[in-house]
Structure formats: C-alpha cells, structure tokens
Amino acid sequence: MIEMDEQERKIVNEFCHLLEKSKQLFNGLRDLPQYGHKQWQAYFGRTFDIYTKLWKFQQQHRQVLDANLRTSETNYLNEAFSFYAAIRGRAYYSRTSKDDRSDLMVKKLRYYARFIVVCLLLKRMKLVRDLVRELSKQIDEYTTTYEPEDQLEWSLVLGEIKSFIDADNGVNVLDMDSNTIVLSHRLSGHNTPPMEKSTNINLSLQEILIVGNCTDQVKFSELTIDMFRMLQTLEREPQEDSAVIYDSSPAPGKIPFNGDASSRLTKRENPHKYLLYKPTFSQLMVFLASGFKELPSSGAMLLYLSADGAFTTAKHPQDPGFDFGGVVTNSKRDGDHGSNKRVVQLKDMHCFYPGDLYSFTRKPLFIVVDSDNSSVFANMPHYFGQPLVVLMSPQETPPQFHDQHHRGNLFTLFLHCPLMGMCLVSSICDVPMTLWEKCQTFVEQFIAEASKLLCRSRNVDSAYHQFYSDDFLRLLTLRFIFCSAVLRSHRAFKGRQFYPRCHPSLPDSDLLDHPSLYSIILSLASDSRGFPSLLRFT
C-alpha cells in the first residue's frame, strides 16, 4: 500500500467523504414517493450542493494535475503519482463497466492516459508497461460494451503510447541477465560539467520554452519524443535519487521509489518551463513575451525549437531576419503543415522567422534549434549587447538515418544523452551495463577537457562565458561540442551540411578540431570495442 503525506490524505478523504454523502442521498431518494413536492425540496437542495462540491473538487484537482503534467518537475510529478496510484490501489473505477455509463468509462480511460504520462516522466517503465496492458483491456471493453463513436480515437491513443515507448527505447542498456536497465538523464552530480572559470556576470536559466512541431515524429499527449527528451535534460535529479540508475526494474537488487513520506522531495530550484505542442505563431509569441516579462535581472531564457523548416522561394533574399524562411508554426486555418521540405510563400504569417526573436534579445537569450532549416538562425544580430547563443542542428542527415527521424532528431538525442547519440550513429542498439559505464567515463573525460579548452581559449565569444555559470546551459554547450566532434569524425557524415553549427561560432583549431578531443573520441571508439571502424581516423 502506498503511504501518503497529510495533504494527499486530506484530498483523498475529502473526495471519499463527498462520494459517501452522495450515495446516502441517492439511497434516500429511491425511497421517496413519486408524488408530492415539499418532501423533495430538502433532498434536492442537499443533493445539488454536494454535486456542486464534487464538480468543483474534480475541476480544481484536474487543473492542478494537468498543470503538473506540463513540467518534468519531479516534486509535482511525485505528488501526481501518489494521487493516481491511490486511485488505482483503491480501485475507484472498478464499477464503471457495471454502472452502464459510457461517460464514466471515458473518465477511466483518461485517468489511465494521464497516469501513463506521469510514469513516463518519472521513468517508471515497469509500471508503464502494466498500465498500457490495462488500458488496452479497458479500451476493448469500452468499445465492445458501448460501440462508441470515439473508439478509433482511443485505438490511436493506444498506438501512440506504444510507438512512443518503442522510440524512447532506441538504445537498451542491459544488466548481466539481459534485462533492460532504465536510466535517468536528468542533471545530477554525476553529469554536471565542471566549472573551470567564473565571470563577473553570473546568469542563471530561469525561463524555458520547449516547442515541438515536427509532423513526422512520434508523440503522446501533446508531447513529442524531442520535447520529452529535452524537458528531462533541463531538470535536476532529486537529491534522494541522485544515482544514475533511477528505476532499474526489472533488474534485481534495486529498490525503486515507493512514494512514502520518508522519501519525499525537498523543494529545489529548477527553471520554469512552458511546453508548447504545435503552437500557432500568436501562441508562441505570447509565451515568449510572458517568459521575457518574468525574467529577473540576472536571469536567462532558453528557447528550444524542434520544428519542420519553412523554406522560401525568394530569388534575391536580402534581409536575413525574414527573407530566408524559418520554422513552421501551426495554423488553425490549415491543418496540414506540409512535408518536411515545405516551401512557403515569402513573409508567410505562419512562419516563425529569426527576426521574430530580435525584440527578445534585450535580455540574455539561449536558443536551440533542431530543424532542417536551422541555419537561418545563424545570423542573429546583437542589437542590445546582451548575451546571445544559438545552437543549431545539422540541416541534413545521411540517407541511412532518414528512417530514424520519426523516432526523434539526432541532434536533440546528443543533447539529451551524448552516449546514446553516438550509439545511434554507430548502429548499436544493445549495450551491456559494464560497457556503458566504461564508455561513460570517456564521455565525462571529453566534457571535462572541452570545458577546460572553452574557458581558456581567447577566441571564444564572451557570450559563452557569460552563460557558463549556469549548469544547464554549460551542459548543453559542452554536449554540443561532443556532438560536433563525433559527427566530424564519422565516415557517413561527409560535408558541412551534416555538422551542427552555432552562433557565435566556436573556434575550430582551439576547440572543435582540437587534437585532445579527437584523441578521446578515438579512445572511446577503440578501447571500448563498441564503436568499430566508423570514425574516419580508425
């Protein structure tokens, strides 16, 4: 049985009390005669009051839980998990099919969908698999009993969940019994890059916008796989669960989080996040303005864009802010976003251009663009003298990796977990835990060396040094350098169109092409024996 804290116990008790009172009223109403009106009035008033309270209770806590699902903040997620687990443990929905009410059955299916999202974000994959099996049975029962009009929609939801889980399991880390070990990739003491140098300006990441608008990418509950990976990358690991292995079930000998009061989390600082799935241009601008407004004097804002490119056919482009296209935003007028290489008319109102960000460079801004038209963000001007960094994905990937696009973009995977990115480009799907840990030591060595080179180089733009005091922004910058070094070394990635870019540019000789970094990549490829002959210098 899952133990709850005082607040959770109060919520559940309040809910149970209201349900019990409503049942008593219903039993009393069944015994009333079918004529007369005065004896009904007292019961009607009490019944109306209780159901008004039940409705308000449901709406309030649904809003709270839905809001908690919009962030990877583990404090909130564990609260939502305890609440949903209590509902499941007490079988509150066990009689929905017997009540012959389709609306109650729909609420039950929605409950399962929300619970699965929480478990996915908490990496409780064993429970996710159990919930998916239960949801599948419930959908079958729902469609058989009621033959509803939305049965296709629920079948699509189930298919989305299974595709999402499959995409997230791109690289399997195996224990000695060949069981998959689930790893957490949140920021912790194990993967926080070292600080080589401090600056007079100590910026901290305060506001984050994570935007997902790739048409051909798996998603679940308005959360694409790229958004899912990035929001966890920008979240700190709970102190009580700071080990790399967060939920190792079904591997033996590991004790997962049990939700009891003794293991509850203390409040800690994490950036505030907005998750925007296929937003319209106006929605994106509103949230940008909101994040901009909330920034404190020493705060920085991060914008992450995972979106299809919007290309222009202009023969003589002149303005780099608007004439070279941008990325696609949603249009309520036109539900079809087009293909991956969508060509739009010049100055399309539904295109998000680099120039649309100029006003927001009045404050420190860190941008990550994962798109096939990412390079148009390479010429952002410094009108206001504030720190500005743009990390851009390669515009193209080699043909052998095209079928991986729907499972998440390669650039985002490198920023989420560098070793998984290297496994993917090396066509490695299964890695023993002992080999994974050995390879991880090389990655950590690379990150430490890159940190030292970046801080000591005189040719690195001061914007990188100003953002360097923040753990998350330092992590993204150094993982970008790792991604660049691996792809530059890979035989399949021949040509600058296959390399990531950044603005301001990082020096090649002092950093990106530095011999010490390539030496570590070579050691990772050869000593581990897990990445054979795919590097150009092997």
Side-chain angles (χ1 to χ4, degrees), residues 117-274:
V117 173
V118 171
C119 293
L120 277 173
L121 292 171
L122 288 175
K123 286 293 185 178
R124 299 182 64 88
M125 301 310 295
K126 185 177 184 297
L127 183 55
V128 167
R129 291 188 286 269
D130 293 340
L131 291 173
V132 170
R133 284 192 292 268
E134 293 179 18
L135 176 61
S136 179
K137 293 180 181 178
Q138 296 297 329
I139 292 176
D140 290 341
E141 181 178 351
Y142 173 59
T143 56
T144 302
T145 304
Y146 301 103
E147 297 183 357
E149 296 180 356
D150 60 349
Q151 56 181 330
L152 179 59
E153 297 177 12
W154 282 108
S155 298
L156 292 175
V157 169
L158 184 62
E160 285 183 352
I161 297 173
K162 293 180 178 179
S163 298
F164 194 95
I165 296 172
D166 180 62
D168 190 42
N169 295 334
V171 178
N172 299 312
V173 182
L174 308 175
D175 65 7
M176 297 180 62
D177 297 324
S178 297
N179 294 316
T180 300
I181 298 176
V182 181
L183 303 177
S184 172
H185 301 291
R186 290 181 169 90
L187 186 68
S188 69
H190 296 270
N191 58 15
T192 301
M195 272 288 293
E196 287 287 335
K197 179 182 179 182
S198 61
T199 63
N200 294 329
I201 301 178
N202 294 316
L203 296 173
S204 63
L205 182 60
Q206 296 292 325
E207 295 289 333
I208 300 174
L209 275 77
I210 297 177
V211 180
N213 197 10
C214 292
T215 56
D216 186 27
Q217 190 173 109
V218 296
K219 66 96 178 176
F220 173 54
S221 185
E222 297 191 350
L223 192 69
T224 67
I225 190 68
D226 277 355
M227 297 171 66
F228 177 70
R229 287 168 175 163
M230 185 53 62
L231 66 87
Q232 291 185 83
T233 303
L234 299 171
E235 171 74 18
R236 296 185 189 278
E237 193 73 64
Q239 293 180 1
E240 290 81 356
D241 295 309
S242 59
V244 174
I245 300 176
Y246 182 79
D247 175 13
S248 58
S249 54
K254 306 297 180 182
I255 303 176
F257 172 77
N258 59 10
D260 61 13
S262 63
S263 60
R264 294 192 58 78
L265 308 173
T266 57
K267 181 176 177 61
R268 59 187 194 286
E269 293 298 325
N270 276 299
H272 175 256
K273 306 180 190 68
Y274 294 109

Side-chain angles (χ1 to χ4, degrees), residues 71-91:
T71 176
S72 64
E73 171 62 62
T74 326
N75 287 332
Y76 299 144
L77 290 173
N78 278 318
E79 291 179 6
F81 175 83
S82 297
F83 187 81
Y84 286 135
I87 293 176
R88 183 169 182 255
R90 291 160 178 75

Side-chain angles (χ1 to χ4, degrees), residues 262-291:
S262 63
S263 60
R264 294 192 58 78
L265 308 173
T266 57
K267 181 176 177 61
R268 59 187 194 286
E269 293 298 325
N270 276 299
H272 175 256
K273 306 180 190 68
Y274 294 109
L275 305 182
L276 305 179
Y277 173 69
K278 292 190 175 181
T280 63
F281 172 80
S282 59
Q283 289 172 333
L284 181 52
M285 293 298 287
V286 166
F287 280 94
L288 276 169
S290 177

Side-chain angles (χ1 to χ4, degrees), residues 57-73 76-77 79-81 83-84 107 109-118 121 221-223 231 273-275:
F57 178 91
Q58 180 190 39
Q59 295 302 314
Q60 290 172 355
H61 291 285
R62 177 179 176 180
Q63 291 173 4
V64 171
L65 292 173
D66 284 347
N68 292 344
L69 298 186
R70 298 302 176 188
T71 176
S72 64
E73 171 62 62
Y76 299 144
L77 290 173
E79 291 179 6
F81 175 83
F83 187 81
Y84 286 135
K107 289 183 179 180
L109 298 180
R110 290 175 177 170
Y111 153 76
Y112 270 102
R114 291 190 177 97
F115 197 6
I116 289 172
V117 173
V118 171
L121 292 171
S221 185
E222 297 191 350
L223 192 69
L231 66 87
K273 306 180 190 68
Y274 294 109
L275 305 182

